[in-house]
Amino acid sequence: MRTRGASAGQRASARRPAPEAAVLLLHGGRADGLEPPPALNLPGRRLIPFGRAIARAAGAHPLALRTAVYRHRGWNGARADPVHDALRALDALTDALGPVPVVLVGHSMGGRAALRVAGHPQVTGVVGLAPWCPPGEPVDHLADRDVVLLHGDRDRTTSPRDTRELAARARRAGARTCVITVEGGDHAMLRRAGEWHTTTATLTTGLLGLSPLPAPVSEALREGANTPLGLDTLT
């Protein structure tokens, strides 16, 4: 029914089906920095093609795609500023959409923030891209979550070894984990960029149940494999 006097935007919104699920993107940053991200925020722009790939992979499934807004550029030690921003974004998603499943997609510092807030009741899974996983990160809250972490073997900014070790600890704490090695991949995800985009999209929609997961990933999550998968084994 068309409401008299409703705007075109309101009518279009009324026609769109409610989202079945949501994805929250969390971009990278710095270890320290109290200033806000710049207007030309390259870490944020780097996730734009990931968002587009996820939207394409969702196909006809209505999906809410959001990006967390950081008030500060850095993690800033015990302040863990991006964690508060991510929780605020998750609460806003819940208020807007209700209890839909959410997958977090985070790069570098954003990957660390995603892992920290994955205990939020709406979060069902995390896709971490070259995540920052320093020793001692908490993992108990990851129980019953799906955690898939991708790391390039040429990354010199964050540690692939730390990523593997966090995944192992999370698995012992009750998470379902899978680590994928991007052979030749760097921290900025520029080498093999198209494969980073499409693989992340496939994993994200798969964790949300909107498309099939690659069989090796599904098996690794189910069986708790210790050996990282190679990106080339997923096709």
Side-chain angles (χ1 to χ4, degrees), residues 72-97:
H72 305 280
R73 198 172 188 178
W75 184 270
N76 300 318
R79 289 172 54 118
D81 285 312
V83 172
H84 306 293
D85 298 327
L87 286 171
R88 190 174 66 251
L90 282 168
D91 288 341
L93 268 176
T94 302
D95 291 343
L97 304 178

Side-chain angles (χ1 to χ4, degrees), residues 45-56:
R45 293 178 67 86
R46 184 65 193 91
L47 287 191
I48 290 174
F50 286 89
R52 290 172 177 163
I54 291 167
R56 286 194 300 270

Side-chain angles (χ1 to χ4, degrees), residues 113-128:
L115 289 163
R116 280 283 188 101
V117 303
H120 189 281
Q122 301 308 121
V123 174
T124 60
V126 175
V127 178

Side-chain angles (χ1 to χ4, degrees), residues 10-68:
Q10 289 171 327
R11 292 195 297 270
S13 177
R15 289 194 298 267
R16 284 196 295 266
E20 299 176 20
V23 175
L24 181 64
L25 301 174
L26 298 104
H27 63 72
R30 296 181 173 180
D32 299 290
L34 293 174
E35 71 279 7
L40 181 60
N41 184 21
L42 295 180
R45 293 178 67 86
R46 184 65 193 91
L47 287 191
I48 290 174
F50 286 89
R52 290 172 177 163
I54 291 167
R56 286 194 300 270
H61 296 281
L63 177 71
L65 187 64
R66 302 286 188 272
T67 300

